[in-house]
Amino acid sequence: MSDIYVIYWSGTGNTEMMAGAVAEGIHAAGGHANVLDVASASADVLKDAKAFALGCPAMGSEQLEEGDMEPFVEEVEKFAAGKTIGLFGSYDWGDGDWMREWASRMEAAGATVAGGEGVIANNTPDEEAWRTAEN
Ligand SMILES: Cc1cc2nc3c(=O)[nH]c(=O)nc-3n(C[C@H](O)[C@H](O)[C@H](O)COP(=O)(O)O)c2cc1C
């Protein structure tokens, strides 16, 4: 298994914790995770990857964070076909609409969403047993 990028946006740390859990899952599966804050990541690094993970909490009104994550995801959509993408994020008062829509977008772009759906955690995640995208 080669390096797997885990790229996330997190305002108050919950999705960042999930990124850590995803990285642990990758390590447990014998891989190496490259965890990056989306603000310091270029979507270009994902172009040659078969599998990677993206994390973003529910923001706006059931939307992705619009400053960094939304433009990043728009870039990813252009080359997502054939890739396996793990999606994760934290939310509070909603019921996961943002994640269902995000997963649909990735599938419409031709990607496979790892596990068939995004992993969501209400506020601070408890120890998520998260099996990550296999390479
Ligand atoms: C500006 C803003 C908008 C939000 N919009 C939603 C929302 O539409 N639905 C929801 O369930 N939670 C919403 N939340 C709650 C966050 O998703 C929740 O606090 C989450 O745990 C934040 O994750 P983070 O710590 O990774 O930033 C919003 C929070 C903020 C600050």
Side-chain angles (χ1 to χ4, degrees), residues 9-15 57-62 90-94 123:
W9 184 92
S10 184
T12 55
N14 294 328
T15 304
M59 295 298 287
S61 173
E62 298 299 324
S90 174
Y91 68 104
D92 189 353
W93 54 83
N123 292 306

